[in-house]
Amino acid sequence: MPLESLPSDLVSFDDQDGAVHLKVDDGLYPLEAVYAAAYVFIDRCYVLLDKPASGQTRVTLSAKKGTLAGDAARELVGEFSNELLSCAWRSQIARENRATIEAVTAQALSGARGAPSLEELEAFDFSDDAFEDPLGIAMSWEEKYAKKKGDPKATAPTPNDEAATSSVTKPEAGK
Amino acid sequence: MNLLQIRKPSTTFALPFKHRAIGKEKVLISNTEGSFLLLSHEEFRLFAEGTVPRGSEYWKRLAERNFIRGEENRDAMASQLRARKGFLSYGPNLHIVVVTLRCNETCVYCHASRANMDQVQTDMTKEIAEQTVDKILQTTNPHVTLEFQGGEPLVAFEVVKHIIDYALKQNEKAQKQLEFTMVSNLSLMDEEKVAYLVGKKVQICTSIDGPEHIHDKQRRLPQASAHQKATHWIKRINEEYARIGLDPTLYHVEALLTTTREALPQWKEIVDTYVSLGCKALFLRPVDPFGFADKTGHRIEYPRAEYMTFYRDAVDYMLELNKQGVQILERFAAIFLTKILGGEDPNFLDIRSPCGAGIGQIAYNYDGKIFTCDEGRMLHEMGDSTFLIGEVGETSYRELMGHETVRALAIASNLDAQPDCVNCTYQAYCGVCPVHNHKSQGTIFGRMRESTLCAVHKGIQDYLFEKLGSGDPAVVDIFKKWTTVRDRTHFLQSCAV
Amino acid sequence: MIELRFHRELYDGKSVDEALKIFGPHASFEQAEETAHWIVRLSAADGAREKRVAGELSNYALGLTIAAQAKKLGRAEKTTATAKQEAK
Ligand code: SF4
C-alpha cells in the first residue's frame, strides 16, 4: 500500500510483513551511497537490497523489534531517503575535495602522532595491508568499526540468544 | 535577493565564494580562507554580475579580501588558511581526567553519567592516575591542560592532589607548559582545598544555572542550596586568587550555564545573576543529548528556534549592559567572532574543522579507559563504547593518535567533506561534532539540515552577522573587545558539572 | 519458510556464504541459485524466530559485502594512484 505524501511508484508499505520498500534510481544514487545509507540503518532495521529491474535498486527496511506501523514506516523511509541523498552527495564531495581532505587529515594526524620512536620503527609492519586505504577514505569507519550494534559481528546471535534455542538442523552452508 | 534574481551572473569575475542573506537588507559573502563582506543588495548585484567599476573603493574592498579573480594575493590566502588551521600541527592539548564517577549532586541534565556516593569503586586508583599522567605528557603539543572532571572531582580529592603532584614532578622532564583546571560543583569545597588548589594555580570552573530557584531545582543537593554553596565559593576562590597576586583577568572562577526549557523565559535573570557574581563571561550552552539529559530530554528539551529567541534576547541584553560599561561576554559569540573578526582559530575543540576528537583532546576514565573526547566517554557510560580508543597501561600514545576511530572522526568532522557545510557561508568559522551526530542521527557524518547543533551554530552566526551589518559602531567595538579576551576555552570543552 | 534473494550485483557471494555459516545453527537452510540471485530458504521453529534469523542473516551478509567492497575500492584506488605516479 502507498504511504501518505510519498510517491507510490517509489515507496510502498507491506503491512503484513511490516516492511517498507523504496526504489532507488541507480543513475542518481551510486551503489556506494546505497551501501553507506543502508549501513547506517542496520542497527535499527533489517535491510535487504534487490534489483527489480536494470538501473534500479530496491531497499527493503523492516523493524527489528515490534511491527512497523504506517507513521513509523513513513518516518523510517523518509529518514533513509535523506541519509541516502546525504551519502550520495558526500561521496561526490569526497571525490572532488579529496586533495584538501587528505592534506588536512594527513597534517592533523602526523601533527598529533609525532615521529615514531626507534622501538616503534622496529616493530612497524611494512606489509602491504597496512598501507591499504591509509586514511580510511575508501571505506567508511562505520562500515569498518561500526557502532557496536550495527556491527554485523556484534549482531550475530550467539548460541545463548533466543534464536539459538530453537531446535535447528545444521545446514550445509557455505558451499 | 539571491543569485536567481541576478540578471547576467558573471562566471569570470569572482573567485569562488558563498553567499547568504542576512536580514532583509544585506547579503554576506565569504570565501575559503574566511574573508567576508556584508553587501547591500545593489553591491551584491554588481559583484555577481561582474560589473563593479575597476579601481572604485568597492572594487578595492573586494580585491583586498580576495574576491576578484586575477587580483588574488595567493601568499595572503595561504597564510590566512595556515593561521586558521594552525592547530593541525600539534596533538591533544586538552586532557580530561575523570577521577571518579561519584557525585553528591543530582542534576536533571547530568551529562557525566554519575554514580552514587557509595560507589567507591569508581574512584581512580593511584596506579591508573600515574599511568594517565605519563600518557598525557607524551602529547606532541607543548601546551597541556589537565582538566579534572567527574562525577564530582572534590569527592576524590586525594586523587586530584596525587595527579597534580605527580604531574608537576614528571613535567620537570617533559617540560610542557602545564595548566590544571577543575570542573566542580563546589559544594564539597573547604578552606584547605581552596588553599591547595589556588596554591597550585588550578583554574576552577563551575555551573550556575541562573537564579537560585532555577539552579536549585535543576541541581539537587541533599539538605542544602547548591546555588548558595556555589556562589559562596566562587567569591571566596576569586578573593584567594587575588590575594596571592594572580591576574584576575586570567584567574577567576568560570561559570557555565546549561540552558533547559525552564531557563528560556528567564534570560534577563540569568544574565543578571552572572553579572552579580562578578562573572565576565556567560556561555549559553543548550542541553545536549549525552548522559542523563537523554533520558530526561522530554522535560528539559525545546525546539532550537526557541533557544535562538532566548539567545538573541540574552545577548541583546548583554550588549546593552556593555554599552553601560558592564563587562560581560557570551562565549559562543566570542568563539565565532574570534574566527570572523580575528582571522584566527581559538581552538575551541567542538567548533573547528576537523574537530578535536583525539587529535585535540582526550578523555581518561577513572578505570584507565581512553576516549576520543568527553562526549565519547559519556556515551560509554551509557553503554555505547564506540569512541573507546585504548587503555592507559596498554595503548601507546602513537597507537591512540593513529587509531582508526580518531582518523574516521578527523574525516567526518572535516567540513570540506560535509554536505551542506561545503556550500555554507559559515564554513570557515564553523565545526561539527561527530559524536553528537552519532548519538542523535546514528551516523558520525550526520545530516546538517536535521542537526540541532548546526541549527544553533547557524542561528548564532546569523545573529552575529546581523549585528555586524546593523551599522551600530558601538556593537562592532564591543564584539571586537570580545575577541581579545584571553582564551579560556579549555574550561569550556564539554564541561558540565 | 522465508525465502531470501541476494542479488549477485549487490551481494558478495563469499559474504553470503559466511553469513550462512554463522547463522547455520539457528535455522534450517536450503540454498539455490538463479541467474541473478543466490537464494536462501530458511525455516525455524516459529514465524517470529524465522523472521529474526532471516533479518539478522541479511544484515550480516550486507555488512560483510560492504566491508569487502570497501576493501576492493581501497585496492583499486591504490593501484590507480600507483599507476598515475608511475605514468609521471
Ligand atoms: S554546521 Fe551548519 S552552520 Fe556550520 S558550516 Fe555546516 S551547515 Fe553551516
Side-chain angles (χ1 to χ4, degrees):
Chain A
M1 62 191 248
L3 284 171
E4 193 197 325
S5 77
L6 293 174
S8 57
D9 54 332
L10 297 180
V11 181
S12 62
F13 177 53
D14 181 339
D15 56 351
Q16 243 176 2
D17 279 357
V20 58
H21 306 283
L22 170 72
K23 275 191 214 151
V24 175
D25 184 332
D26 295 350
L28 295 175
Y29 301 96
L31 183 56
E32 66 192 80
V34 177
Y35 280 152
Y39 207 89
V40 169
F41 281 73
I42 66 175
D43 60 340
R44 283 182 261 176
C45 304
Y46 295 130
V47 185
L48 196 66
L49 307 179
D50 203 357
K51 278 196 159 297
S54 109
Q56 237 179 30
T57 301
R58 183 176 56 217
V59 183
T60 301
L61 305 170
S62 49
K64 280 196 173 183
K65 286 201 183 112
T67 47
L68 197 58
D71 271 358
R74 201 175 155 276
E75 218 166 273
L76 187 68
V77 76
E79 196 185 341
F80 184 89
S81 313
N82 286 357
E83 182 61 34
L84 180 62
L85 181 61
S86 191
C87 291
W89 189 9
R90 186 177 304 114
S91 74
Q92 191 187 326
I93 293 166
R95 260 193 302 276
E96 284 167 4
N97 289 357
R98 191 174 174 122
T100 319
I101 299 164
E102 285 189 342
V104 168
T105 311
Q107 172 71 21
L109 296 175
S110 65
R113 284 186 99 182
S117 65
L118 282 176
E119 294 84 58
E120 280 167 322
L121 277 176
E122 210 169 55
F124 193 78
D125 178 6
F126 285 95
S127 68
D128 195 27
D129 266 5
F131 281 97
E132 208 168 80
D133 188 19
L135 296 181
I137 280 174
M139 175 179 200
S140 100
W141 163 87
E142 274 148 334
E143 287 156 11
K144 204 162 185 179
Y145 268 76
K147 306 160 284 182
K148 280 290 173 266
K149 280 182 258 157
D151 187 340
K153 289 192 182 85
T155 54
T158 65
N160 297 329
D161 273 6
E162 190 206 325
T165 55
S166 62
S167 63
V168 289
T169 41
K170 186 113 177 98
E172 291 189 306
K175 279 184 182 171
Chain B
M1 173 176 289
N2 60 43
L3 274 181
L4 293 178
Q5 290 163 273
I6 302 297
R7 279 187 295 276
K8 282 190 228 135
S10 163
T11 51
T12 52
F13 179 73
L15 279 166
F17 71 96
K18 294 155 190 165
H19 76 294
R20 182 174 178 83
I22 299 293
K24 291 205 169 74
E25 311 272 300
K26 300 272 180 195
V27 179
L28 172 70
I29 57 170
S30 71
N31 58 20
T32 312
E33 62 274 18
S35 292
F36 75 91
L37 276 175
L38 278 157
L39 307 178
S40 68
H41 287 183
E42 179 55 15
E43 284 175 324
F44 181 65
R45 188 184 62 74
L46 294 173
F47 172 65
E49 293 181 356
T51 50
V52 180
R54 196 182 170 85
S56 65
E57 188 275 332
Y58 175 36
W59 190 90
K60 280 185 200 144
R61 269 197 296 148
L62 288 166
E64 257 166 29
R65 288 165 182 79
N66 290 315
F67 282 110
I68 302 180
R69 201 175 286 273
E71 297 297 321
E72 66 268 28
N73 178 342
R74 286 173 191 234
D75 288 345
M77 287 161 103
S79 66
Q80 250 178 292
L81 261 183
R82 244 194 319 275
R84 286 191 184 278
K85 297 283 180 203
F87 56 78
L88 290 178
S89 306
Y90 302 107
N93 77 317
L94 177 68
H95 299 265
I96 294 169
V97 183
V98 174
V99 289
T100 181
L101 289 185
R102 293 194 288 153
C103 185
N104 60 328
E105 279 187 6
T106 316
C107 307
V108 286
Y109 48 71
C110 179
H111 297 207
S113 302
R114 62 182 286 284
N116 288 333
M117 289 295 279
D118 56 353
Q119 304 286 303
V120 286
Q121 76 282 5
T122 71
D123 289 0
M124 189 176 258
T125 63
K126 259 188 172 183
E127 193 194 359
I128 289 179
E130 289 180 7
Q131 286 173 332
T132 301
V133 170
D134 293 340
K135 189 69 63 209
I136 290 172
L137 292 176
Q138 287 173 26
T139 178
T140 55
N141 201 312
H143 302 269
V144 170
T145 298
L146 199 158
E147 177 171 298
F148 297 104
Q149 284 231 18
E152 166 51 49
L154 291 181
V155 169
F157 194 60
E158 286 310 309
V159 186
V160 172
K161 275 168 62 179
H162 184 69
I163 289 178
I164 293 175
D165 296 340
Y166 182 74
L168 288 171
K169 190 168 138 257
Q170 295 305 102
N171 196 40
E172 286 167 14
K173 265 188 279 151
Q175 291 289 309
K176 302 283 183 192
Q177 193 185 321
L178 181 61
E179 284 188 49
F180 300 103
T181 66
M182 188 169 77
V183 179
S184 164
N185 64 36
L186 301 182
S187 60
L188 293 173
M189 191 59 85
D190 57 35
E191 287 297 336
E192 207 180 316
K193 291 182 184 124
V194 170
Y196 176 85
L197 293 167
V198 172
K200 300 286 179 190
K201 296 188 185 170
V202 178
Q203 303 193 54
I204 294 166
C205 175
T206 193
S207 270
I208 293 292
D209 284 353
E212 189 166 340
H213 65 276
I214 300 188
H215 186 95
D216 285 350
K217 197 170 164 195
Q218 296 185 166
R219 311 179 59 89
R220 297 257 157 90
L221 183 63
Q223 280 136 21
S225 159
H227 189 267
Q228 282 174 19
K229 289 257 183 199
T231 52
H232 166 77
W233 287 110
I234 289 175
K235 287 180 185 148
R236 182 66 200 93
I237 295 164
N238 284 343
E239 278 168 16
E240 206 51 25
Y241 281 142
R243 196 187 61 78
I244 69 162
L246 295 173
D247 177 355
T249 58
L250 304 183
Y251 285 90
H252 56 260
V253 178
E254 188 90 15
L256 300 176
L257 176 86
T258 300
T259 313
T260 57
R261 189 193 292 174
E262 177 127 17
L264 294 179
Q266 313 223 24
W267 48 269
K268 185 169 181 299
E269 290 83 348
I270 289 168
V271 175
D272 287 341
T273 304
Y274 273 72
V275 171
S276 73
L277 285 170
C279 295
K280 305 268 183 280
L282 169 50
F283 196 173
L284 299 172
R285 302 174 311 161
V287 280
D288 65 33
F290 307 109
F292 289 174
D294 190 36
K295 289 186 201 160
T296 50
H298 58 286
R299 272 195 284 130
I300 57 176
E301 257 288 4
Y302 36 79
R304 285 304 178 261
E306 283 176 31
Y307 168 81
M308 280 317 304
T309 307
F310 159 82
Y311 183 89
R312 284 167 169 264
D313 288 341
V315 182
D316 276 349
Y317 179 52
M318 288 160 90
L319 286 170
E320 281 313 310
L321 290 176
N322 273 271
K323 284 181 185 170
Q324 293 160 27
V326 179
Q327 271 181 47
I328 180 94
L329 65 80
E330 200 287 314
R331 281 284 176 201
F332 264 133
I335 291 163
F336 283 119
L337 288 166
T338 305
K339 301 181 191 218
I340 294 166
L341 299 174
E344 37 179 287
D345 199 295
N347 200 16
F348 182 69
L349 302 168
D350 296 351
I351 311 180
R352 62 173 231 193
S353 166
C355 78
I359 54 174
Q361 68 166 306
I362 298 187
Y364 305 83
N365 212 2
Y366 69 92
D367 55 1
K369 290 199 165 56
I370 303 176
F371 298 86
T372 53
C373 50
D374 203 39
E375 288 85 346
R377 179 195 66 81
M378 289 187 271
L379 286 189
H380 167 78
E381 293 300 340
M382 294 161 75
D384 177 353
S385 302
T386 304
F387 302 97
L388 173 66
I389 53 172
E391 294 214 26
V392 286
E394 288 171 15
T395 321
S396 77
Y397 171 76
R398 293 188 86 248
E399 277 167 355
L400 291 174
M401 292 302 104
H403 194 283
E404 299 214 43
T405 300
V406 172
R407 299 186 336 202
L409 297 187
I411 291 170
S413 61
N414 186 332
L415 300 189
D416 287 316
Q418 186 66 259
D420 246 6
C421 301
V422 286
N423 291 345
C424 180
T425 319
Y426 302 139
Q427 189 196 349
Y429 324 117
C430 210
V432 295
C433 172
V435 183
H436 189 282
N437 294 338
H438 169 81
K439 179 75 180 76
S440 59
Q441 300 184 332
T443 153
I444 54 169
F445 291 96
R447 299 180 297 279
M448 288 310 108
R449 285 283 147 161
E450 299 168 60
S451 159
T452 52
L453 211 60
C454 167
V456 167
H457 290 175
K458 205 173 264 172
I460 290 175
Q461 290 175 91
D462 278 344
Y463 170 80
L464 296 174
F465 277 108
E466 264 172 56
K467 289 283 160 193
L468 285 170
S470 69
D472 181 345
V475 167
V476 177
D477 271 1
I478 293 164
F479 276 178
K480 280 189 184 149
K481 270 197 206 118
W482 287 7
T483 69
T484 58
V485 174
R486 181 196 178 253
D487 168 34
R488 286 161 60 89
T489 49
H490 50 271
F491 270 146
L492 313 168
Q493 318 292 342
S494 55
C495 106
V497 287
Chain C
M1 197 262 296
I2 291 183
E3 181 176 284
L4 292 170
R5 302 172 67 81
F6 297 104
H7 198 283
R8 289 170 194 263
E9 284 176 33
L10 299 170
Y11 291 87
D12 167 56
K14 278 195 199 133
S15 302
V16 177
D17 282 350
E18 187 64 24
L20 277 166
K21 268 189 220 153
I22 297 284
F23 288 88
H26 306 307
S28 51
F29 295 94
E30 258 178 49
Q31 290 172 256
E33 289 198 24
E34 282 179 8
T35 333
H37 290 90
W38 287 291
I39 295 167
V40 175
R41 295 188 190 96
L42 68 96
S43 333
D46 60 60
R49 194 159 290 155
E50 238 169 37
K51 203 177 160 212
R52 183 172 173 209
V53 178
E56 294 291 348
L57 187 143
S58 322
N59 277 6
Y60 198 82
L62 182 61
L64 290 180
T65 298
I66 293 170
Q69 291 298 327
K71 207 163 187 182
K72 264 189 226 159
L73 184 63
R75 281 213 189 93
E77 293 198 350
K78 200 180 118 208
T79 320
T80 323
T82 318
K84 273 190 196 156
Q85 219 36 47
E86 281 167 2
K88 276 184 186 168

